[in-house]
Amino acid sequence: MEAVVLTILFFVLAGVGVGVFWFSKDQQGKRRLQSSESTPIADAPEGALVKVTGRLALADVPELEAPLTSRRCVGYVIEVKERTRSGANSNWVTLVTKEDAVAFVVEDATGKALVRASGAHLVLVRDGHLRSGSMSDHSERAHAFLMAHGTPSENALWTKKALRYEEGVLEPGEEVSVLGVARWESIPEAMRHADQDASSRWLTFGATSEHPLTISDDP
């Protein structure tokens, strides 16, 4: 009987774990992107929900600095988790999540689009990693990031917490996909080429109340 109960408990916990993963924000964002075919920038219809894929380039705005690795970028996501224990079980609990993004340009073979990325959902490859206690050039920045968000890196007994840091960034030159509502707008004078005039337009994306803007560098 005990074995049956343990088996049922195992499958219940496994099901909960799968459910949490399936309905996580990142997985929902990936499914939105995977369910849409990429449209050439030049062919994007006005006002439609469109996915475009191309190379990321800088717009005429200051770049950001990633909190953990100090990489120059146009967007980042950083997540800090703490390992907690309950009896023989251990779990990773999220302490801090932060993401930020500024406008950038995405370019494919047919044209360019301006992406106003503030408020977008970023689904990024987490390629910056750090664990508490590890020797790393990023450890001081990690500690400063935690303290800035009101979370000490030590517990009440003055011992270091078991922490895991993960960071992803949007960098110039990498391939990105953008899913959002397409709008055709006049190109600002500062961004026009010599052969473009005031009537020239380009595609723009931004978050709306009805449709989130989803951006990913995940292949």
Side-chain angles (χ1 to χ4, degrees):
M1 184 65 179
E2 183 178 352
V4 173
V5 171
L6 291 174
T7 300
I8 294 174
L9 180 61
F10 170 80
F11 282 108
V12 169
L13 293 176
V16 170
V18 170
V20 169
F21 174 80
W22 180 258
F23 290 106
S24 69
K25 186 179 178 181
D26 274 7
Q27 291 304 312
Q28 291 183 60
K30 287 182 180 181
R31 290 197 295 275
R32 283 197 298 270
L33 288 163
Q34 291 170 345
S35 65
S36 302
E37 293 290 333
S38 288
T39 299
I41 288 175
D43 298 337
E46 168 72 22
L49 186 64
V50 173
K51 183 176 82 170
V52 299
T53 300
R55 292 292 171 185
L56 189 156
L58 298 177
D60 189 23
V61 296
E63 295 174 76
L64 301 174
E65 184 177 285
L68 181 62
T69 60
S70 69
R71 288 176 288 180
R72 304 304 300 178
C73 59
V74 298
Y76 65 79
V77 173
I78 183 169
E79 186 174 23
V80 186
K81 295 183 178 182
E82 179 185 6
R83 186 175 65 193
T84 61
R85 293 187 178 277
S86 177
N89 300 317
S90 64
N91 294 290
W92 288 96
V93 178
T94 300
L95 297 180
V96 181
T97 300
K98 183 180 179 182
E99 60 183 58
D100 195 9
V102 295
F104 63 88
V105 173
V106 60
E107 182 175 8
D108 67 10
T110 70
K112 296 180 179 180
L114 174 67
V115 182
R116 299 185 176 102
S118 177
H121 175 205
L122 306 180
V123 183
L124 305 184
V125 175
R126 309 290 177 86
D127 54 359
H129 302 277
L130 178 69
R131 288 180 180 266
S132 58
S134 63
M135 298 300 294
S136 168
D137 293 337
H138 309 318
S139 56
E140 290 187 7
R141 295 184 62 86
H143 176 73
F145 175 80
L146 269 188
M147 295 302 294
H149 289 80
T151 305
S153 58
E154 299 175 332
N155 58 32
L157 299 177
W158 301 101
T159 58
K160 287 187 176 296
K161 296 177 181 177
L163 300 176
R164 183 173 69 193
Y165 301 76
E166 296 181 345
E167 179 189 83
V169 299
L170 285 171
E171 297 178 283
E174 66 178 334
E175 185 174 83
V176 297
S177 290
V178 178
L179 176 64
V181 175
R183 301 292 184 192
W184 286 95
E185 299 179 2
S186 297
I187 303 176
E189 184 176 358
M191 302 294 289
R192 290 181 209 146
H193 297 307
D195 59 345
Q196 294 174 320
D197 57 28
S199 64
S200 300
R201 299 190 307 158
W202 66 355
L203 190 65
T204 66
F205 289 94
T208 70
S209 57
E210 294 182 1
H211 297 288
L213 181 64
T214 305
I215 304 169
S216 180
D217 65 348
D218 190 335

